[in-house]
Amino acid sequence: MRYSDDVLAKGWQSAGKPTTVPVEVAKGMVVEDPSSGFCGAVVGWENGLVVLEDRGGKRRSFSFGPGFWLDGKPVELRPPARKAAVRPTHTASGSRVGQPEAAKVAMASRIYVEGRHDAELVEKIWGDDLRHVGVVVELLGGVDELPRIVAEFAPEPSRRLGVLVDHLVTGSKETRIVTEIRNPHVLVTGHPFVDIWQAVRPERLGLEAWPQVPRSVEWKVGASRALRRPAEDQIDIAATWSWILSRVRDWRDLDPALPREVERLIDFVTSG
């Protein structure tokens, strides 16, 4: 017979034609849009469009979908599949992450820290842990306010108060004030650093050690200069702290003296 197949059978129109296959785009992939004749390498994609750049540096955007050619074969360009987010197993403080929980009502107990920078560092490292137990962190403002705050807070067994103080070393003003606080439901502890900035390991900031700043120079100004950052006004100082904080990844970037005392406070206020 002249014709071995049934000419009326379905599919005869596409017989022998190449099949379009789906392909995920990747940067550097060279594809052609036959309808316009534009051929170029993939340089990016967004909002449903893929951007091609030809040899002359001219760029054009095309909608994802069929109609492209890759290596002489028709393809349907698709954006890369989104990878599932990897759920962390530990918080920045090193605690194991549990199952998601509903928001908790804040405990009556509180933790006070001496300044805004202290609060921001505590939030970055221990924020997840504190939310898990429902403990709120508030600003002390200055250690001179401590006796008044303790009196107004009126601590009791189910309403404990924990306080983190800067520069808590023998002979300091801070130590003298702290020794006046005698209440079994209050724990005042602290770190030896002049400022909370020093709790960050200096090597994370490109320093071998934190500088010895003369008493005639405000400590944060001297530290900022040692970091080769502007220190003309409070805006500069705030920018330096933001940069320092951005370099802190987790508790391992801190001097052990700070995590030890913060965790003591968390244990104390949650054990009532």
Side-chain angles (χ1 to χ4, degrees):
M1 293 180 61
R2 184 175 179 180
Y3 301 105
S4 58
D5 297 324
D6 183 357
V7 297
L8 299 180
K10 294 181 179 180
W12 63 271
Q13 300 96 330
S14 58
K17 293 184 178 180
T19 302
T20 298
V21 295
V23 173
E24 291 185 1
V25 294
K27 287 189 176 181
M29 176 187 292
V30 177
V31 296
E32 179 185 357
D33 172 48
S35 61
S36 64
F38 191 87
C39 181
V42 174
V43 293
W45 53 87
E46 62 179 352
N47 301 325
L49 299 175
V50 58
V51 183
L52 306 182
E53 181 179 288
D54 67 11
R55 292 183 177 178
K58 183 178 179 180
R59 294 188 177 189
R60 287 189 60 180
S61 297
F62 299 90
S63 297
F64 280 109
F68 297 93
W69 285 76
L70 173 66
D71 296 331
K73 298 178 181 179
V75 295
E76 176 188 345
L77 287 186
R78 296 181 178 180
R82 291 185 178 182
K83 296 181 179 179
V86 178
R87 187 168 179 265
T89 58
H90 292 78
T91 67
S93 69
S95 301
R96 184 172 293 278
V97 174
Q99 294 300 316
E101 299 178 324
K104 291 187 175 181
V105 176
M107 294 181 64
S109 299
R110 291 286 187 274
I111 290 177
Y112 274 76
V113 296
E114 201 167 339
R116 184 172 59 84
H117 293 178
D118 304 64
E120 289 174 347
L121 183 57
V122 168
E123 163 60 27
K124 182 162 188 177
I125 304 301
W126 291 276
D128 290 337
D129 297 21
L130 291 166
R131 280 183 286 275
H132 174 69
V133 294
V135 172
V136 174
V137 173
E138 298 192 23
L139 296 184
L140 179 62
V143 71
D144 295 323
E145 299 180 14
L146 183 56
R148 176 185 60 80
I149 288 176
V150 172
E152 293 178 353
F153 190 83
E156 56 185 46
S158 61
R159 181 181 168 82
R160 293 187 165 201
L161 180 62
V163 183
L164 182 71
V165 176
D166 295 343
H167 200 222
L168 195 62
V169 295
T170 302
S172 68
K173 176 189 74 172
E174 291 81 3
T175 300
R176 290 194 298 272
I177 293 175
V178 166
T179 56
E180 298 174 8
I181 308 299
R182 295 183 177 88
N183 187 308
H185 311 305
V186 178
L187 173 62
V188 182
T189 186
H191 54 74
F193 315 117
V194 173
D195 192 276
I196 196 67
W197 290 20
Q198 285 185 302
V200 179
R201 290 183 181 275
E203 55 267 29
R204 282 296 300 158
L205 311 175
L207 298 174
E208 291 185 4
W210 281 100
Q212 295 294 324
V213 179
R215 289 183 178 273
S216 59
V217 179
E218 202 280 323
W219 191 86
K220 288 177 181 175
V221 171
S224 294
R225 290 171 179 166
L227 291 166
R228 299 182 180 180
R229 298 186 61 86
E232 298 302 318
D233 51 33
Q234 283 304 116
I235 294 176
D236 289 340
I237 298 301
T240 297
W241 168 244
S242 295
W243 177 78
I244 292 172
L245 191 60
S246 73
R247 302 289 296 167
V248 177
R249 299 162 299 186
D250 56 37
W251 64 275
R252 289 167 290 193
D253 291 333
L254 304 177
D255 186 292
L258 181 64
R260 179 179 63 245
E261 300 309 318
V262 172
E263 287 163 13
R264 277 187 66 201
L265 290 173
I266 295 174
D267 290 343
F268 177 79
V269 298
T270 57
S271 62

